[in-house]
Amino acid sequence: MITTDILIIGAGPTGLFAVFEAGLLKMKCHIIDALPQPGGQLAELYPKKPIFDIPGYPSVNAGELIDNLMEQIKQFQPGFTLGETAVSYTKVDDEWFEVVTNKGTVHRAKAIAIAGGLGTFEPRKPTIENIAEYEEKGLEYFVKEPEHFRNKKVVIAGGGDSALDWSIFLSNVASEVTLIHRRNEFRGALDSVEKVQDLKNQGKIKLITPAEVTAIKGEGKVEAITVEVDGQEPHDIETDYFIPLFGLTPKLGEIAQWGLNIEKNAIVVNNALDYQTNIEGIYAIGDINTYPGKLKLILCGFHEATLMCQSVYNRLNPGKKFVLKYTTVSGVDGFDGSRKEAEKAVVKKID
């Protein structure tokens, strides 16, 4: 069983920043996320896309922002349960909540912060008749561990950033990488498109466009896929893995059954105070919540995470006065023993 002060559901930017704000208040956090790595949709859908509305950054790539947030919270040593979704919750007693994931992992926390962005992400699946038979048997919707593809034949389908980026990465891992897209044009970062073009010219990536994968073949596992190229007869390509990367569909999932007030697929919160839901001790922050005047911006999620942590601290420490100080004055003490603070002023007489 995993125990923590605040259980955060969602490892996007809002959930990650909540770890930092909780750490300043000496509260431990653990994060659950359905994706295999932290970062939410920023990491999964558009890691190389620039973001222009983060204070202090005229432009920052989505993936870089996640890397910076991970570095910022490292000192507070959060725990992670990745590749799992929160399914059920119970109120154990006046102090503890218990949350169980779809894989049976049990978490106990004194407060829950739902920071699931637009909800749990489910992969958009191609319309192939027998697709379910091959899931996790050579058919993968995420690249969880690149080394699994070492010296293997891999077919990737898709035309966005994920398909381009993973084709580039796996070209140095797999024995053969084939990228299939239904159009000749790709929707991705220009440098990624240019890299794929260069790798195609070098013979490191096979590119088939415009085309679609229409069937999967194999006895008990993926052994080949059928490709229909525009204007040509369908043909089979031998492969060890087929990775369709067509984006993700957001859903509230099982959280929608928790008894929370839901409005248009978002969780209603009290924005006048602390972004708490109708269930005491359960909060919702970031894009997953709604209230009058709500703006779905990352910087708004950071603000909501800060006030949520202040509220949790007051709930867990009734009667204990906390004096908020600027980190420029008080410094930052990490759980790992590190200490970050401004240099001390020099006292010196001027003649």
Side-chain angles (χ1 to χ4, degrees):
M1 181 183 295
I2 296 167
T3 59
T4 189
D5 293 319
I6 305 176
L7 181 66
I8 300 171
I9 301 173
T14 296
L16 295 177
F17 187 69
V19 174
F20 178 77
E21 288 297 320
L24 293 179
L25 299 169
K26 306 303 179 187
M27 294 185 296
K28 292 285 290 183
C29 293
H30 190 93
I31 302 180
I32 299 174
D33 199 279
L35 295 175
Q37 72 284 318
Q41 60 182 321
L42 270 68
E44 186 62 30
L45 299 183
Y46 43 85
K48 292 192 174 183
K49 289 289 180 68
I51 301 172
F52 301 104
D53 59 356
I54 302 299
Y57 287 91
S59 174
V60 59
N61 285 351
E64 183 185 353
L65 176 61
I66 295 303
D67 289 343
N68 289 343
L69 286 166
M70 289 294 290
E71 180 65 26
Q72 185 179 35
I73 67 175
K74 183 170 63 175
Q75 60 197 317
F76 296 122
Q77 301 175 320
F80 288 91
T81 298
L82 299 174
E84 301 184 28
T85 57
V87 173
S88 64
Y89 96 93
T90 53
K91 193 76 168 70
V92 178
D93 51 37
D94 291 340
E95 186 178 11
W96 294 97
F97 291 96
E98 188 169 284
V99 174
V100 182
T101 70
N102 61 320
K103 294 186 178 180
T105 307
V106 181
H107 306 75
R108 281 200 175 185
K110 297 175 182 178
I112 298 172
I114 304 170
L118 299 174
T120 58
F121 291 107
E122 297 182 4
R124 291 193 177 99
K125 302 179 181 182
T127 53
I128 296 174
E129 184 177 351
N130 60 341
I131 194 166
E133 298 176 19
Y134 294 99
E135 291 176 350
E136 298 186 4
K137 298 175 183 177
L139 171 62
E140 306 289 343
Y141 298 113
F142 304 103
V143 180
K144 298 178 182 179
E145 177 47 68
E147 280 301 312
H148 289 167
F149 307 99
R150 174 70 63 184
N151 300 323
K152 302 293 184 179
K153 294 180 180 179
V154 176
V155 172
I156 295 174
D161 284 315
S162 293
L164 292 166
D165 291 346
W166 282 119
S167 294
I168 294 166
F169 187 91
L170 292 178
S171 68
N172 293 316
V173 176
S175 62
E176 183 178 292
V177 173
T178 302
L179 176 59
I180 299 172
H181 183 37
R182 59 181 177 171
R183 298 188 181 93
N184 291 319
E185 300 80 18
F186 287 84
R187 291 182 177 271
L190 180 60
D191 67 320
S192 296
V193 176
E194 291 175 346
K195 284 179 183 176
V196 168
Q197 178 68 65
D198 185 51
L199 290 167
K200 174 181 177 289
N201 295 341
Q202 295 178 42
K204 292 185 176 181
I205 291 179
K206 295 181 180 180
L207 186 62
I208 304 177
T209 63
E212 288 189 70
V213 176
T214 57
I216 305 172
K217 297 181 178 179
E219 294 296 325
K221 65 181 182 65
V222 173
E223 295 176 354
I225 52 98
T226 301
V227 181
E228 289 190 8
V229 184
D230 194 25
Q232 300 179 22
E233 287 293 317
H235 66 280
D236 291 348
I237 296 176
E238 291 186 3
T239 189
D240 299 301
Y241 289 96
F242 173 44
I243 311 173
L245 298 172
F246 297 146
L248 303 170
T249 301
K251 295 182 180 179
L252 276 181
E254 297 296 330
I255 290 176
Q257 311 303 318
W258 285 15
L260 301 165
N261 287 341
I262 306 292
E263 185 178 288
K264 295 182 180 179
N265 208 41
I267 301 170
V268 178
V269 296
N270 171 14
N271 69 305
L273 185 61
D274 55 12
Y275 304 97
Q276 197 161 190
T277 68
N278 57 300
I279 301 176
E280 185 179 358
I282 299 182
Y283 301 76
I285 53 177
D287 288 355
I288 203 164
N289 74 15
T290 186
Y291 52 83
K294 169 68 179 182
L295 294 176
K296 293 183 181 293
L297 298 173
I298 294 174
L299 63 90
C300 294
F302 290 166
H303 164 78
E304 294 165 10
T306 303
L307 295 189
M308 177 276 295
C309 288
Q310 294 286 328
S311 176
V312 174
Y313 179 86
N314 290 330
R315 286 186 64 253
L316 302 188
N317 301 277
K320 185 177 181 180
K321 188 176 181 181
F322 173 77
V323 179
L324 177 65
K325 296 180 181 179
Y326 298 110
T327 54
T328 49
V329 176
S330 61
V332 177
D333 291 312
F335 294 168
D336 60 1
S338 62
R339 170 73 178 169
K340 296 179 180 179
E341 59 184 338
E343 292 183 8
K344 301 298 183 183
V346 177
V347 179
K348 184 177 181 180
K349 181 180 178 181
I350 300 178
D351 297 325

